[in-house]
């Protein structure tokens, strides 16, 4: 599922503080994301979870947008985040 997007022509770097919740599991981490216009580069760090990691993240370039994408082992979960962007 696409968590967030931002225009690649306006911003080069994004930092996310992410919280993922189900009814009984919790996970949080920070993600630093950079793009070249045609490729994305990201690292996830400061990862914490109540019972193991159940959501993973990746990024890509989709037309004029940079996307942060989540994949979870649960059918239903809630993803909240705070984002900081740095201009091109």
């Amino acid at each position: 599922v696409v968590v967030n997007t931002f225009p690649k022509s306006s911003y080069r770097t994004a930092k996310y503080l992410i919280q993922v919740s189900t009814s009984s599991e919790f996970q949080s981490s920070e993600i630093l994301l950079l793009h070249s216009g045609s490729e994305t580069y990201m690292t996830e760090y400061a990862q914490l979870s109540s019972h193991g990691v159940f959501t993973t993240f990746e990024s890509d370039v989709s037309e004029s947008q940079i996307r942060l994408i989540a994949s979870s082992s649960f059918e239903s979960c809630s993803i909240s985040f705070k984002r900081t962007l740095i201009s091109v």
Side-chain angles (χ1 to χ4, degrees):
V1 65
V2 175
V3 175
N4 187 242
T5 64
F6 62 89
K8 69 180 185 179
S9 62
S10 300
Y11 303 101
R12 178 75 60 206
T13 302
K15 182 177 182 180
Y16 293 90
L17 176 59
I18 298 177
Q19 175 181 284
V20 186
S21 305
T22 69
S23 60
S24 61
E25 305 285 331
F26 310 97
Q27 176 181 326
S28 65
S29 63
E30 289 187 84
I31 293 175
L32 189 60
L33 189 157
L34 171 75
H35 77 89
S36 65
S38 58
E39 293 186 53
T40 62
Y41 311 93
M42 63 169 267
T43 186
E44 185 175 3
Y45 54 96
Q47 194 174 60
L48 299 171
S49 62
S50 59
H51 291 92
V53 174
F54 58 89
T55 303
T56 58
F57 295 91
E58 61 185 55
S59 61
D60 70 9
V61 178
S62 178
E63 299 178 9
S64 64
Q65 299 291 307
I66 305 301
R67 304 188 306 170
L68 179 65
I69 302 163
S71 177
S72 180
S73 58
F74 286 88
E75 282 188 29
S76 178
C77 62
S78 172
I79 301 174
S80 304
F81 65 89
K82 297 288 184 181
R83 178 184 77 176
T84 303
L85 295 171
I86 300 175
S87 300
V88 170

